[in-house]
């Protein structure tokens, strides 16, 4: 394997690692937004913060 092949292999591995990390970050962000939406919906239904902790 020559130097250019090695560099291209390393570059593709780095890109796939970054893509996976970005996907995980977006999933975490979406989960946070989902929890906020759920809490807002529970508040709109008249449930107290103690009640919504039982559901989460």
């Amino acid at each position: 394997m020559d130097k250019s092949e090695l560099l291209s292999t390393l570059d593709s591995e780095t890109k796939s690692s970054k893509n996976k990390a970005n996907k995980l970050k977006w999933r975490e962000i979406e989960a946070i937004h989902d929890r906020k939406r759920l809490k807002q919906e529970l508040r709109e239904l008249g449930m107290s913060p103690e009640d919504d902790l039982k559901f989460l």
Side-chain angles (χ1 to χ4, degrees):
M1 186 181 297
D2 68 355
K3 193 174 185 177
S4 64
E5 290 174 345
L6 180 60
L7 290 175
S8 67
T9 303
L10 290 174
D11 188 41
S12 67
E13 289 176 1
T14 303
K15 285 181 182 179
S16 67
S17 296
K18 286 182 182 179
N19 285 340
K20 288 179 184 178
N22 284 338
K23 287 180 183 179
L24 287 174
K25 286 180 187 177
W26 277 109
R27 286 183 188 142
E28 291 175 11
I29 291 169
E30 288 174 352
I32 291 168
H33 286 295
D34 288 342
R35 283 193 297 268
K36 285 183 180 179
R37 272 188 237 116
L38 176 60
K39 287 182 181 182
Q40 180 64 35
E41 289 176 11
L42 290 173
R43 271 190 236 114
E44 290 173 358
L45 292 172
M47 297 183 151
S48 68
E50 294 82 26
D51 291 337
D52 81 22
L53 288 177
K54 292 177 188 174
F55 291 108
L56 299 177

